[in-house]
Amino acid sequence: MITRRTLMKTGAAVAATLAAPNLARAQPMTVRLGHAANEIHPGHIASLEFKKSLETLVPGAFDLQIFPNRQLGDDRQNVESCVAGTLEFCGGSGSTISIVTGQVALDAYQLPFLIRDYDHFARMALSPEGEAINESLMVGGILGLQTTDIGQRHFATVSKPVRTLADFAGLKTRIVPLELHKVIWETVGVNPVGLPYGEVYGALETGTIDACEINVSSMLGENLWEVAKHFTLTGHYPWHNVTCVNAAFFEGLSPELQEAVLTAGRESVIPTLEYTAKQDLDGRAELEAKGVEILQLEGLDQMKAKVAPIVEQWSGKSPLIADFVSVAQQPS
């Protein structure tokens, strides 16, 4: 298996080739990247930044065609297509990728309150521990190239504003049907309901659910503000998006192109996070202008204390998670 570590040892030949942007190439290789996000969502920006970096590194090598807005399927369908090899690249939530591949290490990013802010996320995503998690996906048929935060998660409700920890009790709350999320939200006290992302608006509108844990980008991009009028800032965990490549396709590339794909993944992390951070802050004002009540949770420290044991519990599920947590918990 070829990974970042083995490629870094290929040395000067690959580096010299990448440094020759005008190198004559054959016809560009047409490849596709599918994801579920809309055009203003950081998940789409992640794919654009990846494409821009790839074209700079190896101009003319790839014709990377991006299909946003569920054009090729929902989040899970895009990931499954990439695993199957019918898509060369995909962007998908880390939670969905964990479900599809059965690899739990990506859960590390969503351990409650472990990741402190966007700068902290960047340090962890680009750390050896973050790269090891991306590489672990090869067992599931894909390789993670870029893990980025597409928005810290908060809590949106239709009719009942959440001001204190007690206000969570019993709320029918949409979650991704991931074991970690179920444990977190049962511990908080809500009634978790597993639903696909594309069904959230309708479920809020019809009263199938009372609430959802969500980020600003999705509140805006999916027009959830039309039905969810209360938005409580909790920042309980990031929503990590992973740009992936089919493992067999990647291993069939030349060392030069493999290195370019890996480098483009790393280079696209910071620009995407900068976009996400700005949208998160600016978007709160935009939500307020649309009539959404923005709330601070009273007793946030109580919520943190309640879910803190889950971090240690999940660290025992994988050495990769344990290593990630150990580094993440170090003082800045």
Side-chain angles (χ1 to χ4, degrees), residues 113 151-176 181-182 184-193 200 204 209-219 224-225 227-239 280 284 287 292-298 300 303 307:
F113 301 104
Q152 283 282 325
R153 299 293 267 203
H154 305 290
F155 201 81
T157 58
V158 175
S159 55
K160 176 186 175 182
V162 170
R163 304 180 189 277
T164 69
L165 192 60
D167 292 332
F168 285 110
L171 288 175
K172 293 178 293 183
T173 303
R174 182 265 176 174
I175 65 164
V176 171
H181 292 189
K182 185 173 184 290
I184 290 172
W185 290 105
E186 285 180 341
T187 302
V188 172
V190 307
N191 178 17
V193 179
V200 175
L204 288 167
I209 55 175
D210 306 308
C212 60
E213 58 87 26
I214 202 76
N215 44 29
V216 170
S217 58
S218 293
M219 282 289 287
L224 300 182
W225 57 269
V227 286
K229 292 299 185 181
H230 311 282
F231 193 68
T232 304
L233 300 175
T234 51
H236 41 268
Y237 44 65
W239 200 254
D280 191 354
R284 297 176 194 183
L287 288 174
V292 176
E293 180 185 17
I294 306 295
L295 301 157
Q296 298 286 341
L297 182 70
E298 299 170 20
L300 183 61
M303 183 180 180
V307 297

Side-chain angles (χ1 to χ4, degrees), residues 122-135:
R123 291 196 299 275
M124 293 309 303
L126 295 171
S127 69
E129 291 74 21
E131 290 193 351
I133 289 174
N134 279 344
E135 290 170 12

Side-chain angles (χ1 to χ4, degrees), residues 244-285:
C244 300
V245 61
N246 173 264
F249 171 77
F250 177 80
E251 292 191 321
L253 296 174
S254 68
E256 173 209 358
L257 295 183
Q258 289 180 346
E259 177 66 8
V261 167
L262 292 172
T263 302
R266 287 184 59 86
E267 289 184 350
S268 55
V269 169
I270 299 296
T272 303
L273 283 169
E274 290 173 346
Y275 178 92
T276 303
K278 185 175 188 306
Q279 186 185 62
D280 191 354
L281 292 176
D282 294 349
R284 297 176 194 183

Side-chain angles (χ1 to χ4, degrees), residues 33-41 43-44 47 66-75 78 197 221-222:
L33 189 161
H35 66 77
N38 60 65
E39 287 83 352
I40 69 166
H41 194 278
H44 182 59
S47 62
I66 299 173
F67 295 86
N69 265 325
R70 306 185 187 95
Q71 291 181 56
L72 302 182
D74 62 19
D75 200 39
N78 280 304
Y197 180 57
E222 298 293 319

